[in-house]
Amino acid sequence: MILTLTPNPCVDKTVWIERLEPGRPVRGERCDCVAGGKGCNVSKAVRQLGGATMCALVVGGHTGRYVAELLEERHKVSVAPLWVEASTRTITTVLECEKHRQTAIFEPGSAVTDEEAECIHDQFLGILDALRENEPHAPLTVTLNGTVPDAKLRNLYARLIPELKRRKVFVLLDSHGPEFAEGLKAAPDAIKPNRQEVEELLGMPLDSEETLKNALTQLHEMGVELAVITDGVNGAAVSRREGGRFQQLRAIPPQVEEINSIGSGDCFVGGLVHALQIGQSLEDAVRLASACGASNASHWDIGALNREEILRLVPQIRIEPL
Ligand SMILES: Nc1ncnc2c1ncn2[C@@H]1O[C@H](COP(=O)(O)OP(=O)(O)OP(=O)(O)O)[C@@H](O)[C@H]1O
Ligand SMILES: [Mg+2]
C-alpha cells in the first residue's frame, strides 16, 4: 500500500483559447478540470501501475469535494479527506492553441486554524494506523508531497516523519522551500527533489558531476538513505546508502516529444515507490520511475499514465554509473 499526502491540492482547470490579449475578454474553446496536487499524481501513477494506493488530501468546500470526486471517479483512486473550513483552491491554466503557450493563475492555498493543523496531523496518523490494522503484514510506504497551504502547517512533515519511522513505515519526502528544509531535519528514508530544489536548499549550483556528488553526500549526511535528484530531460541521479555502502547511478530517459512535463517528478516518485515496494532492485525501480516521468512528459494530462506505453519505455532507459 502506498499512502500519499497532499496538503495543498487544487482543482486544476485548463481553458483552451485561440490567443490571450491582456485587458480583453477571451472566449474559451474547451475547458477541462482534473484533480491537481503532487500526491494525487503519485497515487494516479501507482494506480496505473496496478499498485494499491490511498490519497490523503487536505480539502475544503465544494471545490474540495470536487477534487475528491474527480480522483475517485476518473482515476479510481481511494481518497482519505482531511477536511478544513476554507475552500480548496483552483489553478487555472490558459492554453493558447496558436502559440502553444500556457499561463497558469494560482489562487492562494487555503488558510487553516491551529485546531485544524493539529487535526490534520492526528487524522493522517489515524488513517495510517487503520491501514496497518487492516493488513498488518503488508508493506506500507508513505509519500509526503509538495508544499503546505498555510504557514501553520510548515512543520507538518517534520512532525510526521519521526512518527512514521517509529511505525517502521518507509517514508519519501518530495517538497521544496521551508517545509522541505524542516522535513529533512527529521531524516526521511528517501527524498526526490529536482535539481533546482536542491540548489535552493543547499545554496549551491549543481553544474558538474562533482557538485552533484557533493550534494548527494550532504543529503546522506542529513540522514537520508535514498536520495534522488531529477533534472527533467537530463534524467536522474540516484544514491542509496545501505549500511556503510553506497550504490550510485544515473538514469537517462529516451527522447520523447515533450508536451507537458509538469508532474513528471510525481510520476517518477509513483514508479519508484511502487517498484521498491514490490521488491525490485534499485536499478529496475529507477528504470520504471524514469519511464513514468518520460511518459507523463509526452502527454498534456498530468499523471494520466498508460501502462503499455510505460512498459515500452522501460527498456529504453539508460543506466550508467555515477
Ligand atoms: N522531456 C522529458 N523527456 C523524457 N523524460 C523526462 C522528461 N521530463 C521529465 N522526464 C523524466 O521524469 C523525471 C522527473 O522530471 P523532472 O525532473 O522534471 O521532475 P520535477 O521537476 O520534480 O517535476 P514535478 O515536480 O512537476 O512533478 C526525469 O528525471 C526524467 O526521467
Ligand atoms: Mg517535483
Side-chain angles (χ1 to χ4, degrees):
M1 164 63 71
I2 288 155
L3 173 64
T4 65
L5 174 61
T6 309
N8 201 7
C10 64
V11 173
D12 200 344
K13 180 190 269 190
T14 306
V15 187
W16 281 259
I17 64 164
E18 199 58 43
R19 175 173 349 103
L20 190 64
E21 289 179 64
R24 294 232 176 154
V26 218
R27 231 164 279 282
E29 293 171 2
R30 183 154 77 92
C31 178
D32 191 28
C33 288
V34 295
K38 302 182 81 58
C40 305
N41 300 334
V42 176
S43 280
K44 288 181 204 172
V46 172
R47 184 77 176 85
Q48 283 306 310
L49 294 169
T53 185
M54 182 175 275
C55 186
L57 298 166
V58 176
V59 276
H62 82 268
T63 40
R65 282 195 292 281
Y66 188 35
V67 170
E69 186 188 299
L70 283 167
L71 269 173
E72 286 184 327
E73 287 177 9
R74 264 207 215 176
H75 298 282
K76 312 293 173 218
V77 167
S78 311
V79 173
L82 306 166
W83 291 109
V84 292
E85 190 65 32
S87 288
T88 296
R89 66 193 172 137
T90 298
I91 295 178
T92 307
T93 302
V94 176
L95 198 67
E96 290 169 273
C97 304
E98 230 173 47
K99 292 188 175 162
H100 293 287
R101 185 171 65 172
Q102 43 175 306
T103 310
I105 301 163
F106 286 68
E107 292 175 12
S110 28
V112 301
T113 63
D114 286 331
E115 206 184 349
E116 284 174 337
E118 215 41 51
C119 269
I120 289 166
H121 171 269
D122 296 350
Q123 279 184 29
F124 182 74
L125 291 176
I127 292 161
L128 185 84
D129 291 339
L131 287 173
R132 239 305 133 73
E133 212 167 293
N134 259 348
E135 288 187 281
H137 304 296
L140 200 49
T141 296
V142 165
T143 69
L144 304 171
N145 307 91
T147 53
V148 295
D150 186 301
K152 288 198 188 75
L153 289 171
R154 204 149 269 173
N155 64 1
L156 176 66
Y157 296 150
R159 287 180 64 203
L160 284 175
I161 290 165
E163 296 277 357
L164 299 170
K165 290 177 77 175
R166 203 164 58 77
R167 288 165 168 81
K168 306 264 182 281
V169 170
F170 183 82
V171 53
L172 180 145
L173 174 65
D174 178 11
S175 180
H176 65 268
E179 42 276 56
F180 184 42
E182 279 301 306
L184 260 174
K185 290 183 194 157
D189 297 300
I191 55 168
K192 199 248 44 91
N194 64 25
R195 182 162 68 97
Q196 196 189 342
E197 289 157 353
V198 178
E199 288 179 338
E200 273 165 27
L201 176 85
L202 301 178
M204 63 183 223
L206 303 189
D207 49 8
S208 65
E209 195 85 358
E210 200 186 337
T211 47
L212 186 64
K213 281 190 167 184
N214 183 319
L216 289 167
T217 305
Q218 289 191 46
L219 295 169
H220 283 308
E221 280 166 3
M222 294 175 187
V224 171
E225 299 299 320
L226 173 60
V228 182
I229 303 174
T230 59
D231 188 13
V233 70
N234 300 316
V238 181
S239 180
R240 178 156 77 180
R241 177 175 64 190
E242 258 176 327
R245 293 161 57 101
F246 289 91
Q247 187 182 2
Q248 296 192 319
L249 53 92
R250 181 190 285 285
I252 299 146
Q255 284 228 324
V256 296
E257 194 198 341
E258 183 176 309
I259 307 287
N260 181 12
S261 70
I262 297 172
S264 281
D266 306 332
C267 293
F268 185 105
V269 169
L272 183 74
V273 291
H274 172 70
L276 290 175
Q277 189 164 85
I278 61 173
Q280 288 190 6
S281 67
L282 182 63
E283 192 174 314
D284 286 346
V286 171
R287 267 184 216 283
L288 184 69
S290 304
C292 290
S295 170
N296 179 73
S298 64
H299 298 280
W300 174 253
D301 281 347
I302 300 169
L305 300 179
N306 172 294
R307 193 148 187 255
E308 282 69 47
E309 184 180 85
I310 292 164
L311 296 180
R312 261 200 317 278
L313 285 167
V314 166
Q316 298 177 43
I317 309 297
R318 252 181 34 233
I319 303 287
E320 292 177 355
L322 189 66

